[in-house]
Amino acid sequence: MRRGCLKSLCTVAMLVSAACSSDGTAVSPTVEVPDRSEATNIGSQQSSLVDCSNTDEGFIRQTLIVLYGRHAHSKAEVQMLVTAVKASSRADVLRQLMRSPEYLEHWSQTLQDFMSFNRFGERVNDACATSTLSSIDTRLAAHVRDNQPLGQAYESPWTTVDLYGSALLLDDLSPLYLTTPFATLGSRVIDADDDNDERAFRRLYGSLFQQNYLGRRMDCLRCHNSEFSVTPDTTYPLPGLVEAAVFGESAGRASLDLQGVFRVHGVLALEFRPDNPGLDKWEYAPGVSPWGMAPDCGQFKAPEQIEPDPLGYEAFLVESLGPTASIWDLEEKLRTGFETLRGQDVPVDGDGHVSGDVALAWMASTELANKVWTHVSGHPLVAPHNFPRNIAQRDLLLELTQAFTRNGFSLQSLLIAVLTQATLNTRPIGECDSEMAYTLPALFNPWTEDKETVEEQPNGLSDIVIRHPPSVLLRAAASAMQWSHPNILSLYEKLEAEGLVDEAGEEPVLVAELARLETDLGIFVSDAEIGFRGSSFRESLAWEHALGSCRAPWQVRADGDHPDDFIDMITSERPDATFYELTLELKDRLLASTNTSTEELQLIERLAGLPLDSVVPEKDANRALRRLCIAWLSSPDFQLGGMPVQESTASNSEVYVSTTQGVCDAYAAFWDGPVPGCN
């Protein structure tokens, strides 16, 4: 069975940057966590040192980029939230921040990326990417969770975007796992007669399911699974023989057995319309819409109408599903699994066995926990064989998964558990610079445990420093500069409404350019361009080319000009301000800081080409500020996470635009109760 197995080799690329100092105290998460007494308690190795935990200010700055996909917009915003932390706790402030529409918008898009929703190319389900409901509340997600797909339909047709917003408001992600297979399959509006084409799409959907739900690769399971591994000293599975429960054997089975669940032919209700204009010859035929989903999101044949697989396969998932297997069977097993797992850990008997339905839900929960941690920290908790490589990684992955399942599949509880981890909130200060060189558990780079020098086997402070996800960086730049958020589908709809899309539906140049920019930056765009995380020559050139003028290339008017943005606003509204004052406005907006050293001021003046103490014409000031803008957008302070904060909330200068009152008014719109530090 294990003959021919090869050890997986992994190359780990680390982004290391010099760190500056800060101080403060850490607050433990309030979500329930497991006992990790047998393993290295994360962060415990720091107990004998000077307090090296992150300051409240550093915590807030890290939190905003994770929850909202943007940096703090001003030091006033940071200061207000620091006051809120001191008045309650970090976990309480996190819960308040997750009431904001910014959280819903950012994490709706992030979760769709996790689930591989294409935004460009052939498999774009654009009809399901636009909201059809007048308002979003918790009722839709609760309806999907509490009803069978062919039971009572929801009160109004809904789309994927509607459900993601509703599930985030309900703080229960289980409805997303029940509906995503239907939305994924519904993205293929064609029913070709070629059997090879059918097989190709089954392989694709089966691969996406393994990637996004199971966190397993069938070709790896014969060597590494929850029952055994050819590298037992570097493979630490979570409890439960989940592979045996799902595939029938721990070593997995033929991929074709799983792929039969994702058959397209005979499951999607489609019809050919040769008279249609353009390339859209196929349309959905009358069928059934699960839970009352909008018809354009996908029409399906009812389970009793599905005939035996024309390719002759009998699918297997948890059990043999026979020749009529389809995503209806998958939904039934996922529903049972999530209902059973809700509010608890995976139930495992004395021999490690677990029911197949529960194993599906547990594996999906574990995979999400790993993806959220990776999104925040930049490093996965599993090695290339899809299992933790050491005890510290295993225990943290278990802790995060339990925070998710015990709290009703709550993304908020999972994010609180991640953002309050002591290891993520460790920063060097003073003597910590030398004493904490290598004292962190090997969570970020598990390969350091192979170092010959014992002192270098743990992780070091530089392992925490990472480049923010490319989608976050682009969103953060747009948010700071008051540009529209880059969204391929929204841009297409806007141009289509303006009559700039031809009858064949070809993507306009702006849409194609935005797709290329996101691809070059490493953002997930489609199955063909899955993205990457990190800094590269390709990414750096794309960032410089697109934002070198500090303008949004995806936001161009018909006359070729750009709408006004933050720089236009401050230069027009403050005609009597010195260039120094305008510079502080921009730095505060981009980096939430107005502290400047003499050396920095000299560099600013040289780059801008204007004297700081002068009042210059609006046009000249605008042009000079854009040169400073791209410098700051490309700086470590903007691009990198995990670095300590360079200043306290105290500042040596005040700004005109971002006032404390303005920040208070914005947060009062969603804060539950009085906003601390505000009148």
Side-chain angles (χ1 to χ4, degrees), residues 26-98:
V27 179
S28 300
T30 58
V31 294
E32 189 176 2
V33 296
D35 178 19
R36 294 183 304 197
S37 55
E38 70 169 280
T40 302
N41 193 8
I42 299 171
S44 64
Q45 299 177 34
Q46 306 168 36
S47 58
S48 62
L49 300 175
V50 175
D51 187 358
C52 301
S53 56
N54 202 4
T55 62
D56 288 335
E57 179 179 354
F59 172 77
I60 288 300
R61 290 175 182 269
Q62 174 178 263
T63 290
L64 289 176
I65 196 71
V66 170
L67 297 187
Y68 295 169
R70 66 165 175 84
H71 292 289
H73 281 168
S74 66
K75 62 183 180 60
E77 182 178 22
V78 175
Q79 193 165 6
M80 187 277 288
L81 291 173
V82 167
T83 302
V85 168
K86 296 183 182 303
S88 54
S89 69
R90 293 185 177 184
D92 287 342
V93 170
L94 288 173
R95 292 189 183 92
Q96 292 279 15
L97 291 174
M98 287 185 278

Side-chain angles (χ1 to χ4, degrees), residues 21-23 55 57-58 61 75 78-79 82 592-595 645-652:
S21 64
S22 63
D23 57 18
T55 62
E57 179 179 354
R61 290 175 182 269
K75 62 183 180 60
V78 175
Q79 193 165 6
V82 167
S593 170
T594 57
N595 279 13
V645 177
Q646 299 180 10
E647 60 175 77
S648 67
T649 51
S651 176
N652 58 13

